[in-house]
Amino acid sequence: MLDIGVALIGNPNVGKTSLFNALTGARQHVGNWPGVTIGKKTGTCTFRRKYTINITDLPGIYSMSARSPDEAVANEFITTADIDVVVQVIDSTNLERNMYLTTQLLDMGRQVVLALNMSDLADARGDTLDVNKLSDFLGTPAVRVSATEKRGLDDLLSAIVVASNREKTARPLVNLGQKVEPLVQEIERDLRQYGGITSSARWSSLMLIEGLIEPGDLVKDKEIAERIHASLRKVDREDIEMAIVDRRYEKISSVLAGIYRRGEGKRSLSDEIDKVVTNKYLGIPIFLVLMWGIFEMTFVVATPFMDAIDQSFSWLAGFVSENMQLEWLASLLGDGIISGVGFVLVFVPNIFIMFIMLSLLEDTGYLARAAFIMDRLMSKIGLHGKSFIPMLLGLGCNVPAIMATRTIEDPKSRLITILTSPYISCSARLPVYVLFAGIIFPRDAGTVVFVIYLLGIAVAIVSALALRKTLLRGEGTPFIMELPPYRVPSAKSTVIHMWEKGSMYIRKAGTVILLGAVMIWALASLPWGVEYGAEASYAGSLGHLLAPLFAPLGFDWRIVVALVFGFLAKEVVVGALGVLYGAEEGQGLEENLQNGMSASASLGLMSFVLIYTPCIATLGVIWKETRSVKWTAFSIIYSLIVAYAVAFVIFTIGNVVW
Amino acid sequence: MSLVLGLVFFTLGGLSILAYFLGEEWPAYVSSNGNLMLGLALIVVGAIFLTGVMRFRSDMDGEAFLIVGCMVGLSISLVTLLALLADASEAYLLMSEDFVDWVPMDDFTPAMPMMIPCAAILWYKLREFKTVKRSSS
């Protein structure tokens, strides 16, 4: 078998990951909005039983001039990795903009193969393109593919094999003109004299001219480095940069002039829908209506499934308690594991329904519009719509949401987004809202859950504003985002997305939640001989120790114990409540909570769970992304203070209202 | 068409909000059970249609508002219909104690029948788009 190394590169949202999945059989997450892939992914495919093709999928970039951390990943890989062929995935409906990157890749001396994806959409619009002539003009193979329909894949793999055998030399497509070309060649001569560079001399000189790298970083010979410095000082670099961009686009236009014709601008349904959903006045209300619909479905439609699961676990717990000979084992299984883990699993239908709805919004392309309409609001607090995408991802889990901030170029904006993303309620917190809203506000449960989610967005926005005005002062950067066309989501991809996100909840039930339930059971059962869940147990002692701190919020000791264990994972809060409240004789959990919690304390608790210290996994990723103990500690302390303050205000006002 | 749908959705939303604040025990098929958020959602749909009317008058994009109004209206109708089906399964499949006296009319809101005109208009309009696309290729 012959090994071929391939990198998939291209603009955001052109279908790189769809092509990666189609070629390798992987199931990496794809989404209809820019910035889904934030790190590189690798996979393998075999072709003609002769070639093993190792494929690396990279984050989307518009050009090789990296600005944000995710763009840097792609840039560094293409520049330094030992790969045979670079496959640039191109959106066939937007050739001109996509080919800007092509001109840069050709300057780099990489073997490039163009995969003209979304050719079906271009055909539907009436576009015509002579692919053979395009290949001839560029001197590099171009292949029509449709990743979603798996068409043209064999042709693409054949082109990759052929390209891997060609000599690697820079074949610059663009003559950069009288103003730039002499300077490029002058620096190229210096770099060749130095000899120690890894990428093509032409590309390295262009990086130096565009200020993407300093001469001293690239050239260790001081004399040559100084000569390059002197050459660069002679020209206005901003002027030169503009000239390079102009020349590249002029060349692209001249290449496409005779071989490409864009279909007549017929009415597109995407454009028609966008006129309304991005409307200045109606955009946000429509977004809110859709979000309310999701939470109404999450609560109301899931209820019969929840009840069915609840009945099954109640029966199981009763069966175990009655039939186990060993009392402590019966208690561990019945009161600890089944009550704790089972009570968490009751909320699986809610989680899955919420994710199926969010997957539908994501796959249709609506989430990109949500970021666009929120940009107006975000820009007022010094952030931009790009910061809203990680926040929306936070509805699933805050860990990928924080990782998605790598798409944000400005370090201060990125840090603000990292610190505020945990206030967007993740699915782990949903069971607490569903539980309390269902018991205390049965008539308006869906609306209460929706309001709690809105509160999370409000806390995130206010916190971002406060950080921007105090610790992280700075100007926001302009927001440019391409709105992808709406697509009808396939049932398969929607179910896969739902399963990817929802199954994490089930996996946690068997690991961290099980561990939490056993720990709480042990604390509620020990010291030996104490009545299970009594105030004299270790759990009771811990709860009573901290309870005075939380008395102003209306929380009793069992709530406090549950919140302490919520540091592990927020799902454990509900599991702990199941173990501690379910332990009281004669009454079920619902009756116990109804008797023990007022409406105002319940609302306060829901908001406290929403805001207080992120779980351990989220804290870990905050530290990893910021590399700062100071900001990680800030996240813990600030969240606790805000959570306490908000819960106190809600509890106090609630006591007056109810 | 936009005007009629806009006024109907506005009225239904208004009734739901009114029932919420007055606390009157009107039947669900008039008041949508006094659901405040549903009322506000219906008013947003009404506003989309009525904005469309103004756009039609000035010969701009009115059709886009009609299509999106139908889409959002249909989504809300589906949510209310699924809520009814969920309660029906509580009452008839799980035999839950809380649903012993439940009858389908308890959950029947006026938003549900609105899915018929919304779906019909949407189907017609989307067919128009498909025809345009086919004739253009």
Side-chain angles (χ1 to χ4, degrees), chain A residues 450-608:
Chain A
F450 170 64
V451 169
I452 291 291
Y453 273 79
L454 287 188
L455 176 68
I457 295 174
V459 171
I461 287 174
V462 172
S463 301
L465 185 62
L467 286 166
R468 185 57 104 187
K469 297 275 179 206
T470 55
L471 300 174
L472 296 166
R473 283 203 182 95
E475 291 294 314
T477 46
F479 176 50
I480 301 165
M481 182 174 176
E482 193 185 348
L483 295 180
Y486 287 101
R487 290 173 202 154
V488 177
S490 75
K492 188 183 163 196
S493 74
T494 304
V495 170
I496 288 173
H497 286 173
M498 176 199 72
W499 180 251
E500 277 171 359
K501 294 169 183 164
S503 59
M504 189 173 67
Y505 185 81
I506 298 175
R507 277 200 299 274
K508 270 190 179 173
T511 53
V512 68
I513 297 166
L514 177 66
L515 177 74
V518 171
M519 280 166 69
I520 293 162
W521 172 84
L523 286 173
S525 306
L526 297 171
W528 211 252
V530 76
E531 192 188 335
Y532 177 71
E535 295 185 22
S537 65
Y538 289 144
S541 304
L542 175 70
H544 282 284
L545 181 73
L546 297 171
L549 272 174
F550 292 89
L553 310 182
F555 301 167
D556 78 359
W557 69 268
R558 285 161 297 196
I559 299 278
V560 175
V561 173
L563 290 173
V564 169
F565 280 90
F567 281 113
L568 280 177
K570 295 289 167 84
E571 294 94 332
V572 178
V573 174
V574 159
L577 292 174
V579 173
L580 295 170
Y581 272 96
E584 274 188 23
E585 290 296 327
Q587 295 184 94
L589 171 78
E590 287 193 14
E591 288 81 4
N592 284 330
L593 282 175
Q594 239 164 0
N595 295 336
M597 294 287 283
S598 65
S600 50
S602 301
L603 269 182
L605 175 64
M606 283 188 258
S607 45
F608 191 90

Side-chain angles (χ1 to χ4, degrees), chain A residues 19-185:
Chain A
L19 185 60
F20 176 80
N21 288 347
L23 290 171
T24 62
R27 283 200 335 206
Q28 290 297 339
H29 184 80
V30 288
N32 189 14
W33 46 277
V36 181
T37 307
I38 49 170
K40 55 178 189 280
K41 311 269 185 334
T42 53
T44 302
C45 81
T46 310
F47 183 54
R48 290 182 189 155
R49 296 183 184 173
K50 192 175 169 190
Y51 301 100
T52 303
I53 301 179
N54 303 306
I55 304 173
T56 305
D57 180 25
L58 297 167
I61 52 171
Y62 288 106
S63 79
M64 294 304 293
S65 317
R67 297 277 183 252
S68 66
D70 66 326
E71 287 172 335
V73 169
N75 194 339
E76 193 189 338
F77 189 83
I78 293 292
T79 314
T80 59
D82 181 23
I83 40 172
D84 300 298
V85 180
V86 174
V87 173
Q88 189 198 346
V89 185
I90 284 184
D91 174 359
S92 300
T93 63
N94 206 338
L95 285 176
E96 282 199 0
R97 198 208 54 217
N98 281 245
M99 281 174 62
Y100 184 86
L101 181 61
T102 315
T103 62
Q104 291 184 314
L105 291 171
L106 292 175
D107 278 334
M108 295 176 80
R110 287 293 188 184
Q111 286 303 332
V112 181
V113 172
L114 302 182
L116 302 169
N117 197 23
M118 303 183 187
S119 44
D120 45 347
L121 294 177
D123 290 347
R125 197 173 63 185
D127 293 4
T128 53
L129 171 70
D130 188 331
V131 180
N132 293 331
K133 281 191 178 159
L134 179 71
S135 293
D136 292 343
F137 277 132
L138 300 179
T140 198
V143 183
R144 279 166 61 92
V145 295
S146 174
T148 48
E149 293 175 19
K150 298 191 177 177
R151 280 195 285 111
L153 301 185
D154 270 5
D155 294 341
L156 177 64
L157 291 171
S158 300
I160 289 171
V161 170
V162 173
S164 69
N165 292 320
R166 288 169 64 187
E167 194 189 344
K168 288 176 195 170
T169 49
R171 287 164 288 112
L173 178 70
V174 185
N175 182 315
L176 297 170
Q178 291 298 319
K179 205 170 181 182
V180 187
E181 205 62 53
L183 177 65
V184 173
Q185 284 168 11

Side-chain angles (χ1 to χ4, degrees), chain A residues 123-126 266-269 272-277 279 282 285-286 288-290 292-294 296-297 300-305 307-308 311 443-444 447 450-451, chain B residues 20 33-35 37-38 40-41 44 47-48 51 55 61 63-65 67-68 71-72 75-76 78-79 82-83 86-87 89-90 94 96 126 128-129 132-133 136-137:
Chain A
D123 290 347
R125 197 173 63 185
K266 297 288 187 300
R267 278 197 317 165
S268 125
L269 184 59
E272 294 292 300
I273 295 172
D274 278 343
K275 281 176 191 165
V276 187
V277 299
N279 181 278
L282 289 169
I286 291 173
L288 292 175
V289 166
L290 293 176
W292 169 78
I294 287 175
E296 191 70 5
M297 293 269 287
V300 178
V301 178
T303 305
F305 300 102
D307 287 346
Q311 284 173 15
R443 218 172 135 236
D444 300 309
T447 302
F450 170 64
V451 169
Chain B
Y20 176 83
N33 281 326
N35 186 329
M37 287 308 297
L38 176 59
L40 290 171
V44 170
I48 298 171
T51 312
R55 298 288 181 120
D61 322 328
E63 202 166 40
F65 286 80
I67 290 170
V68 174
M71 283 177 171
V72 182
S75 308
I76 295 173
L78 282 173
V79 170
L82 287 169
D87 283 352
S89 26
E90 287 273 8
L94 298 173
S96 298
L126 293 185
E128 258 183 20
F129 269 94
V132 169
K133 198 184 262 184
S136 70
S137 55

